[in-house]
């Protein structure tokens, strides 16, 4: 079955050109020209991935993502204005998996869509009985429990909803607690296929991970920063 992609942009030229490009790559494409209409559709019938423009009238992409994240962890790529670093940082902090600045290459967009979908599919292991993964397949580090087969994370028994990128970064850190992972190593884990991201992108993901865990445990300190070196996970 073709992966479904939702495009949300008030620029009909972008909707038309990008949808044609994605359809030619075998994707099933749904288009929306405003955030209000898109929000209901994305919640009622979630796509495999959504591409959201940030600057739209009425409900912009930021507000759309904020409301979407209350109901869904569907992967999201943001389209941002050229060189607008504030948009990029806010988008990542609010739960976007990636961002691309306008004007953008359709080839680059398709490469990033495929990279994120591959990571999502790697986590989507069918489980007809709804049972958790066997203990040998889970990662248990102190109060953290990760179930890669079902893309589930718990902290002290409380569910923590993560995007695919967040999950992969946390998994890389938790696999070897106490060992430092450089930003480059985390980039290689979360962004494959030569998709370029910079240090600030990884830092934004780490900040968002910490915030999500602190929503269930205000004293969460398991992800440590070693300035100038990278990050590590501590079981204590």
């Amino acid at each position: 079955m073709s992966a479904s992609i939702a495009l949300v942009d008030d620029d009909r030229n972008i909707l038309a050109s990008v949808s044609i490009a994605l359809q030619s790559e075998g994707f099933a494409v749904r288009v929306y020209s405003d955030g209000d209409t898109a929000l209901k559709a994305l919640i009622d019938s979630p796509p495999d991935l959504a591409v959201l423009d940030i600057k739209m009238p009425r409900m912009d992409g930021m507000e759309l993502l904020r409301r979407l994240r209350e109901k869904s962890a569907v992967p999201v790529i943001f389209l941002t204005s050229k060189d607008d670093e504030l948009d990029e940082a806010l988008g990542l902090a609010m739960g976007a998996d990636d961002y691309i600045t306008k004007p953008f290459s359709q080839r680059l967009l398709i490469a990033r869509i495929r990279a994120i979908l591959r990571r999502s599919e790697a986590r989507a292991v069918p489980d007809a009985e709804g049972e958790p993964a066997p203990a040998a397949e889970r990662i248990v580090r102190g109060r953290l429990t990760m179930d890669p087969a079902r893309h589930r994370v718990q902290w002290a028994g409380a569910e923590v909803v993560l995007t695919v990128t967040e999950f992969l970064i946390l998994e890389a850190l938790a696999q070897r607690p106490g060992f430092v992972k450089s930003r480059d190593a985390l980039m290689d884990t979360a962004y494959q296929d030569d998709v370029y991201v910079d240090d600030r992108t990884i830092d934004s993901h780490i900040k968002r991970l910490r915030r999500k865990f602190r929503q269930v445990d205000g004293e969460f300190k398991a992800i440590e920063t070693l300035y100038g070196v990278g990050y590590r996970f501590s079981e204590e």
Side-chain angles (χ1 to χ4, degrees):
M1 182 180 295
S2 300
S4 60
I5 309 297
L7 301 178
V8 187
D9 199 311
D10 63 325
D11 187 328
R12 295 187 180 276
N13 291 327
I14 289 179
L15 288 179
S17 62
V18 173
S19 63
I20 290 171
L22 291 176
Q23 287 168 354
S24 70
E25 293 292 322
F27 294 109
V29 183
R30 296 148 47 185
V31 299
Y32 306 94
S33 58
D34 68 87
D36 286 322
T37 303
L39 178 62
K40 186 177 187 306
L42 295 181
I43 291 174
D44 291 347
S45 180
D48 294 302
L49 182 144
V51 179
L52 312 181
D53 184 32
I54 287 184
K55 294 183 177 177
M56 296 184 291
R58 294 176 12 196
M59 183 188 296
D60 65 15
M62 293 290 188
E63 179 63 13
L64 173 56
L65 179 62
R66 185 188 70 78
R67 296 192 189 184
L68 183 62
R69 281 290 173 257
E70 293 175 354
K71 304 287 186 179
S72 171
V74 61
V76 167
I77 295 177
F78 257 143
L79 300 180
T80 75
S81 301
K82 183 175 175 59
D83 298 326
D84 196 335
E85 295 184 359
L86 180 60
D87 279 353
E88 295 165 5
L90 282 175
L92 291 173
M94 293 174 66
D97 290 83
D98 210 340
Y99 62 85
I100 295 178
T101 56
K102 293 182 176 181
F104 59 91
S105 158
Q106 291 183 0
R107 185 175 174 186
L108 173 62
L109 174 61
I110 290 168
R112 294 198 181 186
I113 286 173
R114 290 195 184 281
I116 291 175
L117 288 176
R118 275 194 289 272
R119 297 200 301 269
S120 299
E121 290 165 1
R123 297 291 180 251
V125 177
D127 184 358
E129 301 299 324
E131 295 295 328
E137 298 177 11
R138 284 180 283 152
I139 299 172
V140 180
R141 302 287 184 263
R143 286 174 283 176
L144 174 71
T145 301
M146 302 186 72
D147 184 344
R150 302 184 68 202
H151 190 81
R152 294 188 64 183
V153 177
Q154 292 182 323
W155 180 261
E159 197 84 12
V160 182
V161 179
L162 302 182
T163 65
V164 173
T165 303
E166 293 165 353
F167 191 99
L168 287 171
I169 290 173
L170 178 62
E171 185 178 29
L173 292 171
Q175 282 174 339
R176 300 191 72 193
F179 286 80
V180 180
K181 283 277 189 179
S182 68
R183 288 176 176 83
D184 286 344
L186 293 175
M187 284 185 230
D188 290 342
T189 296
Y191 291 89
Q192 302 169 4
D193 304 314
D194 298 322
V195 175
Y196 172 75
V197 295
D198 58 24
D199 288 356
R200 183 166 47 80
T201 301
I202 296 299
D203 293 341
S204 294
H205 284 306
I206 292 291
K207 289 178 183 177
R208 194 168 73 244
L209 272 168
R210 286 172 172 156
R211 184 172 65 251
K212 287 186 175 183
F213 277 93
R214 285 171 184 159
Q215 288 174 350
V216 300
D217 178 1
E219 301 300 316
F220 176 82
K221 297 178 181 177
I223 300 176
E224 301 177 343
T225 302
L226 280 78
Y227 292 98
V229 181
Y231 298 96
R232 71 181 172 199
F233 184 85
S234 172
E235 293 187 71
E236 298 300 325

